């Protein structure tokens, strides 16, 4: 089963209304996806997380390494791509290009064997995953707190049992927003906050102290991702679990967070940190530190399904009769591409998603949607 073609697609969609978080605003969604076709006519799909044109350029750079190779040997191919690029790109967007290709190879392998990726990763440890709604971004509204509360209520109505909101505008505004959202959703819904590394250690500690009464399940990226030691210090100052990792690459980057005791929850992004092949290694590494993984997940159904298979395969540590919940990040902000690119549609039942059972990632990619959103 030799690799015959590798095609990239940059898809983009203008948002009807831009939204922002602590770092910048979004006015369009842009994504790079990749299709690998083999000489027996199978094809697999992958997606990178990061700036789409750079991911595409990276995939074009990596393509000659893969053409003509046996698509089933994805671990060997992963190492070939890594070895031939690490001199100039040990971290960063080129790893997202490797990730996209790696995911496509797993999709292909699943299709070749007629098995879901989660089974090929080693087995489905669970049949259902709890999605948490990612939303509650900022707008220029003069009644932001009550707008956020209304949005939060809509997620509860849809059946979500966990919701994540943005913080990082200012401590005062954050506290007001959290208080209003918590009052609206009641005490039984889990609530997480994400600063996208907007704060200094002093500010993050102050915000943590002020929001502890609102039962926060985790504080994500409180401080800048370079400051491994500040993450550890913050953990010692607050009872709120600390999460991070979406800006890290490869097992080496995630090892920094683990060995520095920086996080309670490790948030690897499969589409940027090295694909499913590397994510599986990071999971093994995290298990040696007893650290929980809830991947960062953004983008289309390709990225989302890759994450579902990965989470389905994660070991519950510690093991016990009544397994803890396993969460998946489910972005609920506007994304026209995500809505139509893949089938079947993601359906939540009683607050849970079923682990996909179809071969490969378990999705079909709608090539007409590609045509509709294609930029290059
Ligand atoms: Ca985040």
């Amino acid at each position: 089963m030799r690799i015959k073609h590798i095609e990239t697609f940059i898809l983009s969609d203008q948002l009807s209304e831009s939204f922002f978080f602590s770092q910048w605003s979004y006015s369009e969604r842009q994504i790079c996806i990749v299709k690998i076709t083999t000489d027996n006519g199978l094809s697999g799909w992958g997606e990178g997380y990061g700036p789409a044109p750079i991911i595409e350029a990276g995939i074009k750079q990596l393509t000659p390494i893969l053409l003509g190779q046996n698509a089933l040997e994805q671990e060997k191919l992963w190492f070939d791509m890594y070895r031939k690029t690490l001199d100039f790109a040990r971290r960063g967007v080129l790893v997202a290009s490797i990730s996209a290709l790696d995911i496509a190879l797993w999709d292909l392998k699943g299709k070749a064997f007629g098995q879901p990726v989660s089974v090929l990763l080693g087995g489905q440890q669970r049949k259902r995953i709890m999605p948490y709604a990612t939303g509650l971004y900022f707008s220029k509204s003069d009644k932001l707190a009550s707008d956020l509360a209304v949005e939060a209520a809509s997620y509860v109505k849809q059946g979500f049992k966990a919701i994540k909101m943005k913080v990082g505008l200012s401590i005062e505004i954050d506290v007001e927003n959290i208080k209003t959202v918590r009052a609206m959703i009641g005490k039984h819904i889990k609530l997480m906050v994400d600063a996208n590394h907007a704060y200094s250690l002093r500010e993050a500690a102050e915000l943590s102290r002020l929001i502890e009464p609102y039962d926060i399940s985790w504080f994500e990226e409180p401080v800048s991702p370079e400051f491994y030691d500040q993450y550890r210090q913050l953990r010692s100052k607050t009872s709120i679990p600390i999460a991070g990792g979406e800006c890290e690459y490869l097992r080496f980057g995630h090892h920094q967070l683990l060995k520095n005791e920086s996080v309670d929850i490790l948030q690897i992004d499969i589409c940027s940190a090295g694909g499913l092949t590397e994510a599986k290694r990071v999971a093994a590494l995290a298990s040696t530190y007893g650290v929980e993984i809830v991947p960062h997940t953004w983008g289309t159904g390709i990225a989302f399904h890759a994450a579902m298979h990965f989470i389905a395969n994660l070991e519950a540590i510690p093991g016990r009769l009544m397994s803890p919940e396993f969460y998946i990040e489910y972005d609920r902000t506007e994304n026209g591409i995500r809505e139509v690119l893949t089938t079947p549609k993601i359906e939540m039942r009683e607050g849970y998603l079923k682990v996909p059972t179809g071969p490969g990632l378990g999705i079909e990619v709608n090539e007409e949607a590609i045509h509709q959103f294609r930029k290059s």
Side-chain angles (χ1 to χ4, degrees), residues 228-248:
Y228 301 109
D229 198 53
Q230 289 197 352
Y231 272 82
R232 185 184 54 73
Q233 289 179 57
L234 183 62
R235 285 184 67 214
S236 71
K237 292 173 192 285
T238 178
S239 64
I240 301 174
I242 301 301
E246 67 182 79
C247 301
E248 291 296 341

Side-chain angles (χ1 to χ4, degrees), residues 9 31 59 306:
F9 308 88
I31 201 92
I59 291 172

Side-chain angles (χ1 to χ4, degrees), residues 49 132 134 137 164 166 194-196 220-221 246 267 296 329:
Y49 169 62
Y132 74 81
T134 282
Y137 278 67
K164 188 169 79 190
K166 291 296 177 189
D194 182 1
N196 296 91
E220 178 169 326
E221 289 201 297
E246 67 182 79
Q267 296 174 304
H296 171 261
E329 177 166 23

Side-chain angles (χ1 to χ4, degrees), residues 26-187:
Y26 283 101
S27 57
E28 78 167 321
R29 303 297 280 241
Q30 198 178 79
I31 201 92
C32 177
I33 61 172
V34 63
K35 179 184 186 183
I36 302 182
T37 308
T38 52
D39 58 3
N40 60 352
L42 287 177
S43 53
W45 292 89
E47 176 171 347
Y49 169 62
I54 308 177
I55 293 172
E56 180 176 60
I59 291 172
K60 289 190 192 312
Q61 178 81 20
L62 294 161
T63 293
I65 301 171
L66 299 185
L67 286 179
Q69 301 297 314
N70 181 354
L72 298 176
E73 296 186 288
Q74 90 269 34
E75 206 167 310
K76 171 188 177 292
L77 299 177
W78 189 98
F79 189 67
D80 280 350
M81 291 191 281
Y82 176 59
R83 184 174 64 80
K84 289 175 181 164
T85 54
L86 77 85
D87 285 37
F88 50 90
R90 286 194 300 129
R91 305 284 189 273
V93 183
L94 197 50
V95 183
S97 306
I98 295 176
S99 308
L101 290 162
D102 178 78
I103 292 165
L105 290 172
W106 276 98
D107 187 29
L108 264 171
K109 194 173 204 170
K111 287 171 178 163
F113 288 101
Q115 292 291 329
V117 166
S118 47
V119 170
L120 296 185
L121 285 169
Q124 297 181 344
Q125 307 270 9
R126 59 202 53 82
K127 303 292 179 199
R128 64 179 198 172
I129 299 169
M130 181 173 279
Y132 74 81
T134 282
L136 305 167
Y137 278 67
F138 305 130
S139 71
K140 294 206 168 68
S141 166
D142 52 9
K143 48 180 183 53
L144 179 60
S146 61
D147 287 356
L148 293 174
V150 169
E151 185 185 337
S154 76
Y155 297 136
V156 175
K157 199 170 170 209
Q158 288 164 43
F160 283 100
K161 297 179 194 301
I163 301 171
K164 188 169 79 190
M165 64 186 292
K166 291 296 177 189
V167 293
L169 279 186
S170 78
I171 290 173
E172 198 184 352
I173 296 173
D174 294 341
V175 173
E176 180 62 23
N177 290 345
I178 290 167
K179 191 176 149 186
T180 312
V181 166
R182 176 51 89 191
M184 177 69 106
I185 64 177
K187 62 180 181 183

